[in-house]
Amino acid sequence: MSPSPIRTAPFGFWRSPITSDLIVAQSIGLSEVRLDGDTVWWLEGRPQEGGRSALVRQGQDGHTGDATPAGFNVRTRVHEYGGGAWTVADGTVFFSNDRPGPAGGPPDHRLYRQAPGAAPVAITPATDPAAGEWRFADGQIDARRKLWIGVGEHHTPGRAHPDNAIIAVPLDGAQAGTVRILAEGRDFFSSPRLSPDGSRLAWLAWDHPHMPWVETILHVADLAADGAVSNARALAGGSGESIFQPEWSPDGAQLVFVSDRSGWWNLHRCDGRGGPVEPILTLAAEFGQPQWVFGLSTYAFAGPGRLLCSYVEGGLGKLGFVDLATGALTPIALPFTDISSVRATDRTAVFRGGSPRDAASIVRLDLASLRWEVLKRATEIGQDPTLRGYFSEARPVEFPTAGGRTAFGLYYPPASADHAAPDGDVPPLVVKIHGGPTSASSSTLSLGIQYWTSRGIAVLDVNYGGSTGYGRAYRDRLNLSWGIVDVQDAVAGAKYLAAQRLADPARSVITGGSAGGYTALAALAFDSYFAGGASHFGVSDAAALARDTHKFESRYLDWLIGPYPAKAERYRERSPLFHADRVSKPVIFFQGDEDEVVPPNQTEAMVDALRAKGQPVGYVLFAGEQHGFRKAANIQRALDGELAFYAVEIFKTGLAF
């Protein structure tokens, strides 16, 4: 077949085969890969099934199939963001269910056990509306005592915030299904880890106003034969130190964890009994991640004397072996630049990997030969040779920003197999702001980004100050400076590209979700550079977020802006809602009506304020959606709606669907 002729058309007028219906029809979410013997397990988020999360397993024979049946949604809402909703032991799965109750009522949030070949069976009682409910996350199975041990979150009617604890749920006997509290008295808990001999339990805890990437404490306690906890003590952390992912060595002699006490999230260890903490290696690289969700894993023991680790260096992910005796790091040459959910035995490893050329994938790696294979991709679109010419690869960029500092991002130029722009033409630009704000842009192939670039619209995915992957000092740039540093970096990045004639300053827009939506709105209110933008479930009133949001983030703004209400005036100064009169560019908003992180009233207040002044504004409210859109039709409508809004109001390109 002869190639299509190249058509000359201005940037932004290109037609693309990467349509929203193609994206949602073939894309799934992949997360939380695990090993159980020789069986690989992972979690799939399926927009085509109303956003349901299903467990999938691949056996030694290569057969892949669903483990959880239709009607079950493997998800937890602990900390609202969830994660760590399931665990597996000897083929039996234990999971939290988020399916609606009878007659479309609220989700049951119960723990279920599903033995091989059997249907799921609830192992915790149904919620008593008068007594409240438990939610479950980050569990592991104590086979000796027949316990599920994990994080519990108890929601009591009439109380503003739930109570969090390390809990045990007996799996057999007269007490089966009841909740036993093992550790309490702190605002938050995560990462319970049982020593190999079952005699000790380690966990992380932290308190308001800290977030886990600011300060956590590593605890360990003795565990009696009946599961009673004693002699709990702190081993590391506190005083501005963030600890991440404790893991026991196979012989129980070492407790390994990630700490940022060196200025970078590096690997450390202790004996788990109160002995000194020592670094395993010291490197200007990040071996940890911000704990927005449970179940994160950046390393695993690959035998008694070595670790298999993912780490971020220069903003890109890598994989390597760490020798525990010498601390030597041996990188493994792989095509993946975004690596997470690392699990291993002494022979095999699995992880979630992605690259600028390939979508997020479940990958198995043979640790002897270092041969790897993809078990499942989030979408096969990246493998379609007819579409390859429409993919734009991420280009890491560094650019000067306020205060003589440097900021970072990923730039995606327009790309098309059958279009070219006239000489001298400069593309429109979408500046993408990641959420969090303590998070980072991903270098994995994103069809959401290719949707823009294949139409002749450039994208800058900004890793503004406060992003992870560049060390503690870079992460701390956002301390008390949210709405300032992030806005400065977004504007500086757009101006840098314009100076290189890589973006048209007159057609540069800014977009983001959640905290990224706040930065987008703040940039439109407090700076005049961008020609318009979009907010996906974004914050417009910082004070309302401090007053109304869920427990996990209810004091996050103390660090980002200052304590509320003591700094109420600063909140007002930083909130786009109270400066809507300064927004003079078109804006479109997308919101879920069940969002408890950023409630709809925040978005609607901003929309009403802009409409009152006659500003071009769009507003789309999605029924049944929470913080982030999971349903295929809504994901599609948000993509097409944002493009259509820009096309009409800003780019003046027509509808290049």
Side-chain angles (χ1 to χ4, degrees), residues 163-176:
D163 294 313
N164 295 71
I166 299 293
I167 65 171
V169 177
L171 302 177
D172 293 308
Q175 300 298 313

Side-chain angles (χ1 to χ4, degrees), residues 256-349:
V256 174
F257 56 92
V258 175
S259 167
D260 66 358
R261 59 176 59 189
S262 69
W264 296 82
W265 267 320
N266 278 186
L267 290 159
H268 292 71
R269 64 183 158 199
C270 65
D271 62 9
R273 301 184 183 277
V277 172
E278 63 177 20
I280 295 173
L281 82 172
T282 302
L283 188 68
E286 299 276 60
F287 289 79
Q289 296 176 327
Q291 291 187 76
W292 280 106
V293 296
F294 296 99
L296 299 175
S297 177
T298 61
Y299 72 91
F301 278 87
R306 67 176 179 174
L307 301 174
L308 180 70
C309 305
S310 65
Y311 57 101
V312 176
E313 194 172 35
L316 297 177
K318 301 177 181 180
L319 193 71
F321 291 116
V322 172
D323 186 302
L324 287 170
T326 66
L329 172 65
T330 305
I332 302 172
L334 294 170
F336 306 103
T337 57
D338 189 347
I339 300 169
S340 61
S341 200
V342 177
R343 312 285 179 174
T345 66
D346 57 354
R347 298 176 292 106
T348 304

